Amino acid sequence: MNKSKGSHSGRNKSNFHKKSSKRKPTEFQEEAVEDCIDKLTLEEEHLQLPEDYRYHIDVPFPVAMWDLGQCDPKKCSGRKLSRLGLIKTLRLGQRFNGIILSPMAKKCVGPQDKEIIVEHGAAVVDCSWACLEQTPFSKMKGTHLRLLPYFVATNPINYGKPCSLSCVEALAAVFYITGFNDLAESYLKQFKWGHTFLSVNEELLSSYASCSSSEEILSVQAEYLRKLDEERHADKGEIDWPSSGEDSTDEEEEVT
């Protein structure tokens, strides 16, 4: 049986050579190209791409950051965006003409900033929240400094903390408020926890994005915080003390 199989293979090989000898050169070239494509496909299937590289993003404007080197590189969202080519690192003293998120700002970001972002982009400061006092914000030069309204952080380091956003969360918030929803989602998708920021802050993101000015955003923020404060007080509850009337005396006697 083995001999038969061997001779059968030999006949096929012989026939192949006979037939192939009649082929035109172009047929050999096409076959070679197809083989190369198949080989590359198999290699790609087994190729282990970096976990960071998940989605290709076309960014329509400059996105930048000043990196102060205060964060753990392995946990820093800004550093990861830099590795992915999704953010440009600026030098201290280097000017940026787009929207700059900075605690030195006196105005909140708003939908009216979309034109500035389209033309010049957006930038963040990559620093530790624990080192704000030592951060030289004055060396991060630009005209359009902006604050972010209230959001809840969902990054692994500051999860659940108000306003303690990571670089990617801050950028996503700016993108969303100024009408670049898809870009915000694309940036967050680079992180396993990224979608959580959108779900936790869904109401705020939608409300801010529907505003027409920074002032209106601040009004929405104030109303949201007021309701949040009411809910917190309601959750604590009030102790229902018995009244000082005769009914309470009778109840005490029965219990005793």
Side-chain angles (χ1 to χ4, degrees), residues 244-256:
S244 58
E246 294 181 356
D247 292 340
S248 60
T249 304
D250 293 340
E251 289 179 0
E252 289 175 2
E253 290 177 354
E254 289 176 1
V255 171
T256 303

Side-chain angles (χ1 to χ4, degrees), residues 20-255:
S20 63
S21 63
K22 296 180 182 180
R23 292 184 180 181
K24 297 179 181 180
T26 54
E27 291 179 309
F28 281 113
Q29 293 172 1
E30 291 175 358
E31 185 176 275
V33 170
E34 290 177 358
D35 289 342
C36 287
I37 293 174
D38 291 340
K39 184 179 179 181
L40 286 172
T41 302
L42 289 173
E43 289 178 352
E44 288 175 354
E45 288 177 353
H46 294 87
L47 184 63
Q48 297 296 323
L49 292 174
E51 185 180 356
D52 290 351
Y53 190 84
R54 301 183 185 178
Y55 302 90
H56 174 71
I57 303 175
D58 291 321
V59 187
F61 45 74
V63 179
M65 71 172 179
W66 284 276
D67 185 2
L68 279 297
Q70 298 173 350
C71 304
D72 184 344
K74 296 181 180 180
K75 300 178 181 179
C76 178
S77 65
R79 292 283 184 91
K80 181 172 180 177
L81 292 177
S82 179
R83 292 196 301 270
L84 295 173
L86 296 176
I87 198 168
K88 177 184 177 182
T89 302
L90 303 172
R91 302 183 308 274
L92 284 180
Q94 186 173 354
R95 188 177 184 82
F96 186 78
N97 294 323
I99 296 298
I100 301 173
L101 295 180
S102 169
M104 301 292 289
K106 297 181 180 180
K107 185 177 181 181
C108 180
V109 67
Q112 76 281 353
D113 292 320
K114 183 173 183 177
E115 293 182 7
I116 299 174
I117 290 180
V118 168
E119 188 171 356
H120 301 292
V124 293
V125 179
D126 189 356
C127 64
S128 171
W129 284 100
C131 303
L132 287 181
E133 294 183 1
Q134 293 79 35
T135 302
F137 290 104
S138 60
K139 293 184 179 181
M140 302 164 204
K141 302 183 181 298
T143 305
H144 308 292
L145 303 182
R146 295 290 186 271
L147 295 167
L148 274 178
Y150 179 90
F151 287 107
V152 176
T154 63
N155 62 78
I157 298 176
N158 292 312
Y159 185 88
K161 294 181 180 180
C163 305
S164 300
L165 306 188
S166 62
C167 287
V168 68
E169 289 173 313
L171 286 170
V174 172
F175 296 158
Y176 207 102
I177 289 174
T178 53
F180 299 98
N181 302 23
D182 292 341
L183 188 60
E185 293 179 8
S186 296
Y187 265 66
L188 287 169
K189 280 181 179 178
Q190 304 302 317
F191 301 82
K192 293 179 179 179
W193 49 265
H195 67 282
T196 312
F197 180 76
L198 295 178
S199 59
V200 169
N201 296 282
E202 182 178 6
E203 180 183 347
L204 286 170
L205 287 166
S206 179
S207 298
Y208 294 150
S210 64
C211 295
S212 58
S213 65
S214 298
E215 292 74 21
E216 191 174 347
I217 285 180
L218 292 177
S219 296
V220 170
Q221 173 187 259
E223 179 62 17
Y224 181 85
L225 292 176
R226 185 188 65 79
K227 291 181 179 179
L228 192 63
D229 190 54
E230 288 181 353
E231 290 175 1
R232 286 172 179 168
H233 281 86
D235 289 340
K236 291 180 180 179
E238 297 292 334
I239 300 176
D240 188 16
W241 296 104
S243 63
S244 58
E246 294 181 356
D247 292 340
S248 60
T249 304
D250 293 340
E251 289 179 0
E252 289 175 2
E253 290 177 354
E254 289 176 1
V255 171

